[in-house]
Amino acid sequence: MYQEKVVLCGASAYNQKFYLNEDFDSLPQQIKDELKIMCVLYVQDIGGVLTLEFDEEGTLCFHTEAEENDFGYDDIGSVLKIRQLQRTKTELLEALEMYYKVFFMEAGNES
């Protein structure tokens, strides 16, 4: 079903928007709210664009990018903030990986 990366959610400092992939609408509202807060606070502090993506193995990865002339984007702060989120949100991130592997990857293998 999914051969490439699948975006779970993301936020942009440029257009000040949050995006949640509609394939994940079935997530509990509390989880969706926590993802929104996490992503929005990240781009507010660091700048640029943050997306959370599942790779081919179902691992949840943080992907960041910034426009070329975005001098407000904090490269070093980005790495530190992602490490902090991975440390403080371990339970949430692991649960999301498990959810994805069970409901998306297994469902794709059954087809």
Side-chain angles (χ1 to χ4, degrees):
M1 182 175 189
Y2 294 104
Q3 275 76 27
E4 303 205 9
K5 293 183 180 184
V6 175
V7 174
L8 167 62
C9 62
S12 171
Y14 305 118
N15 60 18
Q16 298 181 345
K17 296 205 185 240
F18 172 77
Y19 165 78
L20 177 68
N21 185 334
E22 62 188 29
D23 290 344
F24 297 94
D25 277 344
S26 61
L27 284 171
Q29 189 60 45
Q30 180 181 354
I31 301 296
K32 293 190 274 189
D33 291 345
E34 195 166 347
L35 288 169
K36 182 175 184 176
I37 291 166
M38 184 173 71
C39 291
V40 169
L41 288 177
Y42 171 92
V43 297
Q44 189 175 41
D45 291 346
I46 305 299
V49 176
L50 171 69
T51 55
L52 275 64
E53 305 171 347
F54 292 101
D55 67 12
E56 298 82 14
E57 287 89 39
T59 303
L60 189 57
C61 304
F62 287 74
H63 176 76
T64 63
E65 59 185 71
E67 293 178 357
E68 189 174 329
N69 295 325
D70 184 356
F71 300 112
Y73 179 75
D74 184 358
D75 284 320
I76 296 169
S78 173
V79 173
L80 297 173
K81 186 75 168 177
I82 288 172
R83 285 185 187 158
Q84 176 193 21
L85 290 171
Q86 289 171 327
R87 192 174 56 254
T88 60
K89 303 289 185 183
T90 301
E91 191 174 314
L92 170 67
L93 300 174
E94 288 176 353
L96 287 166
E97 286 180 351
M98 181 64 69
Y99 175 86
Y100 180 77
K101 288 174 183 175
V102 169
F103 291 102
F104 289 84
M105 293 180 75
E106 291 299 319
N109 290 336
E110 292 174 9
S111 303

